[in-house]
């Protein structure tokens, strides 16, 4: 127990100093704060220059709560719980693996490959794991209650990307730790670029921009595809939802969960009885823990 407390304390100290470094050196190397601000500002400009729904205002419905979610999920949640929790999880998982005699066990070892190839493999595998977890969030009722926060957007724009319940961090990180940390024996030095790429693609997927990248739409997720993921009315053919892709659309095309029946520019977004869903941030945080339907 003391060991775990030590890890938590060390994590807080480490995170607090790196947070301070991030804030005091906005143009230092690998600054996530600057990255988020620059990408958000850049994609917002694209929305204003190439608006898909021309009548949608620059500060759309839900913009401010989304802006708050963006920083909460990116920073505050990290500071409060995530860093400590994930270091502890990694540590405990390491203990578990070695206690059953697999201390140096890895399924794959990519350390001999070039950094670019490692980057591509990591990107593909990470995206596939997240696509699978995203499916679970829709199919498992108690997980869907948390994921509903992300689907409570009724007017789509870039900042909706990071509107999600903090429990999603736990679901996604657990999956990533188990499969990436322990099945793959390589450390990614360019995690910052990977993170940057996923933020840019994710912001654009939610932006008010009518893009689909032509033939590349079969590889990369895009706004014209992701808007159908947020459709209020689900088709009979996909009762649990469709277009689960995070950065890549590839998995949906391979496994038949793709669905773009027409131009989704003006489709109603959300879920059944969305009018009754709370719009307050704090109430949204507690909704998922409620036992009632
Ligand atoms: Zn979803
Ligand atoms: Zn979305």
């Amino acid at each position: 127990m003391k060991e775990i407390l030590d890890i938590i304390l060390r994590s807080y100290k480490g995170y607090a100093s790196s947070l301070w470094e991030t804030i005091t050196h906005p143009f230092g190397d690998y600054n996530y704060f600057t990255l988020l601000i620059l990408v958000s500002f850049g994609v917002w400009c694209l929305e204003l220059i190439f608006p898909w729904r021309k009548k949608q205002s620059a500060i759309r419905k839900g913009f401010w709560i989304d802006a708050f979610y963006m920083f909460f999920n990116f920073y505050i949640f990290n500071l409060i719980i995530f860093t400590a929790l994930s270091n502890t999880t990694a540590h405990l998982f390491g203990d578990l693996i070695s206690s059953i005699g697999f201390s140096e066990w890895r399924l794959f070892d990519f350390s001999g490959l070039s950094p670019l190839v490692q980057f591509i493999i990591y990107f593909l595998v990470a995206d596939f794991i997240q696509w699978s977890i995203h499916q679970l969030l829709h199919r498992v009722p108690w997980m869907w209650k948390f994921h509903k926060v992300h689907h409570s957007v009724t007017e789509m724009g870039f900042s909706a990307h990071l509107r999600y319940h903090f429990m999603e961090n736990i679901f996604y990180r657990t999956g990533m730790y188990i499969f990436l940390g322990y099945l793959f024996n390589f450390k990614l030095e360019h995690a910052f670029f990977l993170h940057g790429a996923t933020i840019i693609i994710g912001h654009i997927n939610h932006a008010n921009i009518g893009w689909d990248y032509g033939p590349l739409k079969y590889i990369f997720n895009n706004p014209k595809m992701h808007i159908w993921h947020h459709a209020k009315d689900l088709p009979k053919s996909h009762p649990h939802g469709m277009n689960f892709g995070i950065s890549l659309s590839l998995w949906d095309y391979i496994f038949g969960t793709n669905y773009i029946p027409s131009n989704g520019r003006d489709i109603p977004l959300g879920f059944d009885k969305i009018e009754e869903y709370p719009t307050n941030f704090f109430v949204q945080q507690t909704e998922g823990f409620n036992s009632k339907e």
Side-chain angles (χ1 to χ4, degrees), residues 172-202:
Y172 281 106
R173 297 289 159 172
T174 308
M176 302 285 272
Y177 265 116
I178 292 173
F179 290 101
L180 286 173
Y182 290 94
L183 294 187
F184 289 82
N185 182 23
F186 64 84
K187 291 261 177 288
L188 192 76
E189 279 139 16
H190 299 108
F192 182 79
F193 295 106
L194 183 92
H195 211 74
T198 54
I199 289 176
I200 293 170
I201 299 172

Side-chain angles (χ1 to χ4, degrees), residues 133-140 143-144 147 168 171-172:
I133 294 170
H134 191 187
Q135 291 242 16
L136 286 178
L137 295 180
H138 281 259
R139 287 168 186 270
V140 180
M143 291 175 105
W144 165 244
H147 189 48
E168 288 202 23
F171 301 143
Y172 281 106

Side-chain angles (χ1 to χ4, degrees), residues 134 147 150-151 156 160-161 205-206 226 229-230:
H134 191 187
H147 189 48
H150 183 63
H151 283 265
M156 193 56 79
H161 176 210
N205 289 341
H206 291 85
H226 193 67
H229 177 68
H230 283 263

Side-chain angles (χ1 to χ4, degrees), residues 54-239:
K54 302 211 170 16
K55 288 188 187 135
Q56 185 168 308
S57 99
I59 311 272
R60 52 169 255 284
K61 196 173 151 197
F63 181 91
W64 293 113
I65 191 173
D66 289 351
F68 184 73
Y69 263 110
M70 195 142 85
F71 288 96
F72 179 78
N73 280 322
F74 217 73
Y75 287 102
I76 302 173
F77 178 71
N78 258 356
L79 185 64
I80 295 170
I81 213 171
F82 165 62
T83 314
L85 196 73
S86 50
N87 285 6
T88 321
T89 319
H91 181 81
L92 292 177
F93 199 81
D95 278 358
L96 182 77
I97 291 278
S98 49
S99 70
I100 53 174
F102 284 121
S103 58
E104 286 305 311
W105 180 76
R106 293 287 189 274
L107 196 58
F108 302 104
D109 184 355
F110 294 116
S111 53
L113 299 172
S114 78
L116 182 68
V117 177
Q118 287 190 38
F119 184 88
I120 294 170
I121 295 174
Y122 190 98
F123 189 86
L124 282 168
V125 176
D127 197 73
F128 180 70
I129 293 168
Q130 292 180 79
W131 176 84
S132 312
I133 294 170
H134 191 187
Q135 291 242 16
L136 286 178
L137 295 180
H138 281 259
R139 287 168 186 270
V140 180
W142 67 269
M143 291 175 105
W144 165 244
K145 281 166 82 178
F146 293 111
H147 189 48
K148 260 179 143 175
V149 171
H150 183 63
H151 283 265
S152 65
V153 178
T154 51
E155 200 172 45
M156 193 56 79
F158 79 92
S159 56
H161 176 210
L162 297 179
R163 177 198 288 213
Y164 56 83
H165 195 279
F166 70 83
M167 282 295 286
E168 288 202 23
N169 287 300
I170 296 175
F171 301 143
Y172 281 106
R173 297 289 159 172
T174 308
M176 302 285 272
Y177 265 116
I178 292 173
F179 290 101
L180 286 173
Y182 290 94
L183 294 187
F184 289 82
N185 182 23
F186 64 84
K187 291 261 177 288
L188 192 76
E189 279 139 16
H190 299 108
F192 182 79
F193 295 106
L194 183 92
H195 211 74
T198 54
I199 289 176
I200 293 170
I201 299 172
H203 267 39
I204 293 176
N205 289 341
H206 291 85
N208 180 22
I209 306 171
W211 289 353
D212 68 2
Y213 318 131
L216 291 178
K217 66 183 174 195
Y218 298 109
I219 298 174
F220 292 102
N221 196 3
N222 53 77
K224 281 185 158 175
M225 182 172 197
H226 193 67
I227 198 143
W228 282 101
H229 177 68
H230 283 263
K232 184 177 179 189
D233 305 308
L234 298 178
K236 283 205 174 70
S237 56
H238 297 81

